[in-house]
Amino acid sequence: MNRPVELITNQDLEAYVDGEVHGMRRKFIAQRLETNARDRAAVDSFLSLNNGLIAMRSCVYRDLELADALRSILAKRAA
Amino acid sequence: MQNQLSAAALTDCLPALQRFALQLTRNPDRASDLVQDSVERAINKAHLFDGANLRSWLFTICRRVFLNQIRSEKTRGIAVELDDAPQSRISTDQTQEHTMHYHDVAEAFERLPLNDKVILSLVVIEGLKYEEAADLLEVPVGTIRSRLSRARARLLLMVEGEQMEEGTKVAAQV
């Protein structure tokens, strides 16, 4: 591909939603979203999942197996 | 009209949608308003239609619009002109729709495999950067990206699947 910057995958869109894309690449994706309905719909879906999980955080963490797993993983960061 | 949502296909579904709306509202005028709102919503969300079963999809939208309306009515006092309505009241429907969607997401999340839950929780809820998550899980960043993507795809499929299933069950009854 002559212009690889134009190759945008779902993982790129997810990274964009997660704030993992910066600089020119972020600007390029933002511009593309203005004209590409499919990518815009994908970003809307990812954003809505993220918002749903954040809003329902207390429900999500009622899962004790998950809470334990996260506690032990995050403990490594604190160490 | 966008994607697979054609005017002709939409028109074909209108009689069934009208019957369904009448069944929900038990009032011909309200049913017509509900159909109109549902079709408007469908056109605005045409990009989300997967092309599989338009009737089910429309019924799902109709049911959600109706639920939003009755929830809104429960909290509504006297009717006022739109121009006089406070902004918070106008946005009530949208807020309730978000709340319903969030519950769907949380319910679907519960059914994900533990590994999917962990990666989504670390990045989305705990706000870890991909690199931080990679360090903690002792895997490359690329693995984090692909695991996240698979987890999101499964979650999305479950959330959308539930909505389609609701529509299909209701469609079978009308």
Side-chain angles (χ1 to χ4, degrees), chain B:
Chain B
M1 293 290 145
Q2 304 171 35
N3 299 344
Q4 310 94 326
L5 188 55
S6 74
L10 200 55
T11 307
D12 284 348
C13 292
L14 285 181
L17 192 63
Q18 180 73 32
R19 283 196 298 278
F20 177 51
L22 189 58
Q23 198 178 69
L24 290 173
T25 60
R26 299 177 192 282
N27 176 308
D29 290 337
R30 283 198 64 188
S32 297
D33 289 345
L34 180 57
V35 169
Q36 190 173 334
D37 290 346
S38 304
V39 170
E40 189 184 335
R41 173 85 51 105
I43 291 169
N44 289 335
K45 303 276 181 186
H47 58 280
L48 298 176
F49 178 53
D50 64 2
N53 188 335
L54 178 59
R55 189 169 139 139
S56 293
W57 188 64
L58 286 173
F59 279 34
T60 301
I61 290 175
C62 185
R63 184 174 166 274
R64 286 188 171 252
V65 170
F66 175 68
L67 286 175
N68 285 340
Q69 286 176 354
I70 56 172
R71 286 193 172 123
S72 175
E73 282 164 10
K74 276 185 187 169
T75 56
R76 190 179 297 151
I78 53 170
V80 293
E81 290 297 321
L82 192 60
D83 288 346
D84 300 330
Q87 196 57 41
S88 59
R89 176 57 49 80
I90 294 170
S91 62
T92 301
D93 278 3
Q94 203 176 7
T95 307
Q96 284 169 341
E97 190 175 341
H98 282 157
T99 306
M100 285 174 68
H101 172 72
Y102 293 165
H103 280 285
D104 290 346
V105 172
E107 280 172 19
F109 181 86
E110 277 178 24
R111 301 201 305 275
L112 284 176
L114 182 63
N115 281 346
D116 287 355
K117 291 184 193 177
V118 166
I119 193 67
L120 282 169
S121 301
L122 287 175
V123 172
V124 176
I125 301 179
E126 297 298 330
L128 262 60
K129 294 276 162 206
Y130 288 2
E131 209 171 306
E132 288 178 293
D135 281 348
L136 290 177
L137 296 176
E138 298 173 2
V139 295
V141 173
T143 304
I144 296 293
R145 281 170 64 106
S146 54
R147 279 191 193 171
L148 256 181
S149 193
R150 281 196 298 272
R152 274 203 180 98
R154 270 193 277 266
L155 184 58
L156 205 53
L157 202 64
M158 285 180 183
V159 172
E160 288 174 353
E162 270 172 12
Q163 291 172 357
M164 279 300 291
E165 208 172 292
E166 279 175 23
T168 307
K169 278 181 194 162
V170 177
Q173 294 167 6
V174 177

Side-chain angles (χ1 to χ4, degrees), chain A residues 14 18 20 48 61 63 76, chain B residues 101 117 130 136 149 152:
Chain A
E14 290 178 59
D18 291 333
E20 295 276 339
S48 114
Y61 285 170
D63 179 340
K76 286 194 218 166
Chain B
H101 172 72
K117 291 184 193 177
Y130 288 2
L136 290 177
S149 193
R152 274 203 180 98

